[in-house]
Amino acid sequence: MSRISVTPPVWVVVTFPDGVTNVLRHIRDMTAQAPGHRPETIDTMTTTQNTDPTSPARTGPLTGLASPRGRTALATTAALTSLTLALTACAGSSEADAPATPPASDARTTTAPPKVLLLGDSVGQDLALALDAAFEASGVEFESLASDGGGNVVGPFSEEQWETLPEEVEAAGPGLVIYQITGYDWGTEQEQREGYEKLVDTVTEVDATLLFVTMPPIEPDDFYEPHMEDLDRAPEVARSVAADSEGRAEVLEAGEVWGEDYRASRDGEPDRNPDGIHLCPQGAARLTHWMLDELQGRFPDIIPAAPEEWADTGWASDDRFGAC
């Protein structure tokens, strides 16, 4: 079974060395802020979330109050339905092109796929919702330690992170650790290198592999603008650390998914949060689909479930996506 651990939001005022204060909205990062909740009525609709015959049926009428949040959920469902069809088409074409039976020389012994542990900040938490659904459908154990307003191994909050992270990683017992490079990975090149090298060593100590995932391009506000040079440098430092790790770490270049610039929508549907930082369900689903394909190429025992098995199973209605 997959499991996702969610760290409760922590509301604090932090003073940084450069004098930046009052980062309340960035601790929660505004992802759950949906404007205007007021009662309205909507027609009855039917949802189907779980077709597993061994589990209780979860099909039936759904009625409730419609608000901008409710309308967003309906729009998201439609968008994910379209996305599912698109992702399925991509998966179907690759499966059709694959040989029905692999050559004998390519035969391998099937073993249990490694447990996957996700580390990161609030963008990682957005991603974790989609990953949790996809990994569960794929029979892969999953846990997330991503946290709002932190989760970074270099920069602000990292000292607190390192007080517990080694023990948390050991307790999780992963075979694969994914570090979504965070919007808080500030510091000099040397500081970033030391933080990333320490993470490689921590993951190696539990006999796991580390994959860095580059962060999506953001539209920085006054909070992030002073640190963009550091954030732009972070992927380069991660690549250097991975290259020196003797195969213990690698970098997944998520620019293949996002492109070079922040884009709020794709194909006419919300893809990124209007705050310029976070993910919408469509973006989380696109990144997840891409990541699973990347993981399968590195861990053959991870066999991704078809997108229709996880892309529209209810996770997209989470309040984190309320602003999408």
Side-chain angles (χ1 to χ4, degrees):
M1 290 295 293
S2 62
R3 180 167 67 88
I4 179 169
S5 302
V6 179
T7 302
V10 179
W11 296 88
V12 296
V13 176
V14 180
T15 300
F16 296 104
D18 60 2
V20 178
T21 59
N22 191 19
V23 296
L24 290 180
R25 74 186 182 90
H26 290 281
I27 296 300
R28 184 57 191 89
D29 293 308
M30 304 181 297
T31 54
Q33 303 301 318
H37 291 267
R38 64 179 186 272
E40 298 172 9
T41 58
I42 57 175
D43 294 332
T44 300
M45 69 178 186
T46 301
T47 61
T48 303
Q49 294 189 22
N50 191 344
T51 57
D52 184 352
T54 65
S55 64
R58 293 193 289 174
T59 303
L62 173 65
T63 59
L65 300 178
S67 63
R69 176 71 191 91
R71 290 193 295 271
T72 298
L74 295 176
T76 296
T77 299
L80 283 179
T81 298
S82 298
L83 178 63
T84 300
L85 294 174
L87 297 181
T88 302
C90 293
S93 61
S94 61
E95 291 170 0
D97 294 339
T101 303
S105 60
D106 292 340
R108 57 180 172 80
T109 301
T110 300
T111 59
K115 177 180 178 179
V116 179
L117 178 66
L118 176 69
L119 307 178
D121 59 1
S122 53
V123 172
Q125 285 195 306
D126 296 342
L127 173 62
L129 292 168
L131 281 177
D132 186 55
F135 278 130
E136 182 172 17
S138 304
V140 178
E141 189 176 2
F142 172 74
E143 182 176 351
S144 174
L145 295 178
S147 62
D148 285 320
N152 47 307
V153 298
V154 60
F157 318 112
S158 60
E159 289 186 10
E160 293 84 349
Q161 172 87 340
W162 280 114
E163 289 177 359
T164 59
L165 184 61
E167 291 77 13
E168 291 174 328
V169 171
E170 182 178 9
L176 170 63
V177 176
I178 298 174
Y179 180 71
Q180 170 70 64
I181 293 177
T182 83
Y184 298 101
D185 283 20
W186 311 338
T188 66
E189 180 176 351
Q190 183 59 33
E191 290 170 336
Q192 290 172 322
R193 174 174 291 277
E194 290 174 355
Y196 293 161
E197 287 178 342
K198 187 175 182 179
L199 182 59
V200 172
D201 291 341
T202 299
V203 171
T204 301
E205 287 177 2
V206 298
D207 296 323
T209 300
L210 174 64
L211 291 180
F212 294 94
V213 179
T214 56
M215 65 180 287
I218 67 175
E219 195 170 69
D221 57 10
D222 292 341
F223 179 78
Y224 288 104
E225 189 63 50
H227 307 287
M228 289 308 298
E229 182 177 349
D230 295 348
L231 296 181
D232 289 342
R233 187 197 312 116
E236 178 183 347
V237 177
R239 294 182 196 106
S240 177
V241 169
D244 294 339
S245 71
E246 298 181 341
R248 296 179 294 160
E250 190 177 345
V251 179
L252 295 185
E253 303 288 351
E256 296 181 28
V257 177
W258 304 119
E260 296 183 359
D261 302 311
Y262 166 87
R263 289 178 57 183
S265 63
R266 290 176 185 268
D267 300 322
E269 300 294 344
D271 202 69
R272 299 284 302 279
N273 192 299
D275 66 6
I277 308 297
H278 296 93
L279 312 182
C280 287
Q282 176 174 275
R286 290 195 311 107
L287 181 58
T288 292
H289 180 66
W290 173 81
M291 285 180 63
L292 261 62
D293 282 347
E294 292 292 314
L295 294 183
Q296 185 182 27
R298 293 161 175 80
F299 302 91
D301 294 305
I302 294 180
I303 302 175
E308 61 265 26
E309 295 182 37
W310 59 264
D312 189 16
T313 55
W315 59 268
S317 297
D318 191 275
D319 285 344
R320 294 193 64 84
F321 301 120
C324 291

